[in-house]
Amino acid sequence: MKVLIVGSGVAGICLTHELLRAGCDVELIDNGKNASSVVAAGIINPLVFRRMTLSWRVSELIPFALKTYREIEHRTGTSFFHPLAIRRLFASEQELEFWKKKQALPEFSDYMETLTEEDLNFPLEQNTFGTGRVKRASYIDTDAFIQANRIHFHTAGILSEENFNQEELDPESAIYKGNNYDYIVFAEGKDAKYNPLFGYLPLQQTKGELLTIQSANMYAAESLNRKCFLLPLGNQQFKVGSTYAWDTDDTIPTEEGKQAIMENLKSISNERYEIVEHKAGVRPTVPDRRPLLGKHPEFPKMVIANGLGTKGYMLAPLLMHELVNHLLKGTEIDPESHINRFESLMHS
């Protein structure tokens, strides 16, 4: 089977590995302008803190992500996957009570440490309601991940850095630039909004900004979270983020975004720091917070793999595996992810 993939963010990369593992002939096109998968912090967190709920399908997603990223590390000869201790500084008494109620439930016990006196009295000035520790979290060094995979695919001769030209596509027969494919999969991130085949889908462009800071005294033993995240990178450096600005595809960092992150960081630490880098990217999000996967309703050789949003690094390995099984074996896509939930929008 011959497949063309458009886009080499985390979705396109995981999809390429899955197809290669299945013995497919794969070509990958990317315009080199990806600004979401690189800018993302790459944190894989099983919890949604505000109401202390579990992330969607977390019991399947996390083990599969761990296995997949270890395999890709081996295949590319690079280290980018790191276990992570996350400590949540509770923002209210209600959050503390949510944690207390849920830590003993069987479905939560794999992801929450039982609260101790040390957690409640964690020695940070900003700790007013106690803290809780998350289990089975991790993070991807996104720069290393993207760079290693691009080099790997370049070396294999399957990655071309160019823009995809819609005028040279015949969607019915899946012919592009005179070449025949069994499927063409669009994993374009935010740019799917401009794809004439899939533009009817309610993909949102959600801008996020991220700081890299340096501080000699900032707490670095765990990743701290309250209003923002503080992710220790080593060598006294940290990533801090993130912001949300809806309906924009501009990837220019703003003073407003920087000030918002700096203000939120005060809820974690008052230590002095210097800003080393300030980046912005645009996430592909969906109003119902579920991905966009599946074949085009009228051109079934055209496929979309998009809408992974803020949890892309946790979602991509398993969901791309399921998409490949759908294309090669006809297995069903999770109905919450399938684009047929929006089919009525196509003709509206």
Side-chain angles (χ1 to χ4, degrees), residues 58-106:
V58 67
S59 63
E60 304 164 86
L61 288 162
I62 283 187
F64 200 91
L66 170 62
K67 169 176 164 287
T68 300
Y69 288 129
R70 290 296 190 208
E71 288 173 358
I72 296 175
E73 280 186 324
H74 179 73
R75 203 169 294 129
T76 60
T78 312
S79 175
F80 52 75
F81 178 85
H82 307 284
L84 181 67
I86 297 178
R87 184 181 292 274
R88 171 68 172 182
L89 278 67
F90 299 137
S92 64
E93 193 72 37
Q94 185 183 45
E95 263 195 20
L96 170 60
E97 292 307 313
F98 280 149
W99 189 290
K100 284 180 177 177
K101 287 176 184 175
K102 292 184 176 179
Q103 66 184 4
L105 298 175

Side-chain angles (χ1 to χ4, degrees), residues 224-279:
L224 301 179
N225 184 295
R226 183 180 180 183
K227 291 191 178 180
C228 63
F229 60 79
L230 180 68
L231 174 65
L233 304 174
N235 299 319
Q236 301 181 345
Q237 290 201 347
F238 304 79
K239 282 186 179 178
V240 193
S242 177
T243 62
Y244 294 86
W246 283 265
D247 302 320
T248 175
D249 72 346
D250 114 55
T251 57
I252 300 168
T254 65
E255 181 66 22
E256 182 184 15
K258 181 177 79 172
Q259 292 299 328
I261 295 170
M262 292 170 68
E263 185 62 31
N264 287 338
L265 182 55
K266 291 177 184 176
S267 71
I268 291 177
S269 177
N270 289 325
E271 297 290 351
R272 294 173 61 85
Y273 60 86
E274 292 179 6
I275 296 174
V276 176
E277 191 173 33
H278 180 192
K279 287 184 175 181

Side-chain angles (χ1 to χ4, degrees), residues 31-273:
N31 62 13
K33 298 176 183 175
N34 181 281
S36 174
S37 293
V38 176
V39 175
I43 295 173
I44 296 175
N45 180 2
L47 297 180
V48 180
F49 284 131
R50 187 160 295 177
R51 294 197 172 275
M52 292 303 166
T53 55
L54 293 177
S55 289
W56 176 66
R57 297 187 64 188
V58 67
S59 63
E60 304 164 86
L61 288 162
I62 283 187
F64 200 91
L66 170 62
K67 169 176 164 287
T68 300
Y69 288 129
R70 290 296 190 208
E71 288 173 358
I72 296 175
E73 280 186 324
H74 179 73
R75 203 169 294 129
T76 60
T78 312
S79 175
F80 52 75
F81 178 85
H82 307 284
L84 181 67
I86 297 178
R87 184 181 292 274
R88 171 68 172 182
L89 278 67
F90 299 137
S92 64
E93 193 72 37
Q94 185 183 45
E95 263 195 20
L96 170 60
E97 292 307 313
F98 280 149
W99 189 290
K100 284 180 177 177
K101 287 176 184 175
K102 292 184 176 179
Q103 66 184 4
L105 298 175
E107 63 268 33
F108 283 84
S109 60
D110 281 348
Y111 307 106
M112 290 176 151
E113 296 281 5
T114 302
L115 293 179
T116 65
E117 285 299 314
E118 287 79 10
D119 292 327
L120 296 174
N121 298 307
F122 188 68
L124 266 188
E125 185 180 331
Q126 287 79 355
N127 173 25
T128 47
F129 301 104
T131 72
R133 288 169 293 141
V134 180
K135 295 195 282 189
R136 303 186 70 185
S138 55
Y139 83 96
I140 305 296
D141 179 336
T142 56
D143 285 321
F145 173 78
I146 298 290
Q147 182 72 3
N149 280 284
R150 286 188 176 163
I151 291 170
H152 179 70
F153 296 144
H154 263 304
T155 304
I158 63 175
L159 173 60
S160 302
E161 289 197 6
E162 59 186 81
N163 287 311
F164 185 84
N165 186 348
Q166 288 282 346
E167 292 179 2
E168 297 196 62
L169 171 67
D170 177 350
E172 188 165 357
S173 56
I175 295 174
Y176 180 66
K177 289 188 173 180
N179 296 312
N180 280 76
Y181 299 93
D182 293 287
Y183 292 108
I184 297 177
V185 185
F186 294 93
E188 304 161 288
K190 71 178 182 66
D191 290 339
K193 198 170 180 71
Y194 313 117
N195 186 319
L197 290 166
F198 293 102
Y200 71 93
L201 294 169
L203 185 101
Q204 298 168 317
Q205 296 172 322
T206 307
K207 182 175 179 177
E209 300 188 45
L210 193 71
L211 298 180
T212 301
I213 64 171
Q214 182 139 8
S215 173
N217 299 316
M218 202 82 77
Y219 180 79
E222 299 165 307
S223 177
L224 301 179
N225 184 295
R226 183 180 180 183
K227 291 191 178 180
C228 63
F229 60 79
L230 180 68
L231 174 65
L233 304 174
N235 299 319
Q236 301 181 345
Q237 290 201 347
F238 304 79
K239 282 186 179 178
V240 193
S242 177
T243 62
Y244 294 86
W246 283 265
D247 302 320
T248 175
D249 72 346
D250 114 55
T251 57
I252 300 168
T254 65
E255 181 66 22
E256 182 184 15
K258 181 177 79 172
Q259 292 299 328
I261 295 170
M262 292 170 68
E263 185 62 31
N264 287 338
L265 182 55
K266 291 177 184 176
S267 71
I268 291 177
S269 177
N270 289 325
E271 297 290 351
R272 294 173 61 85
Y273 60 86

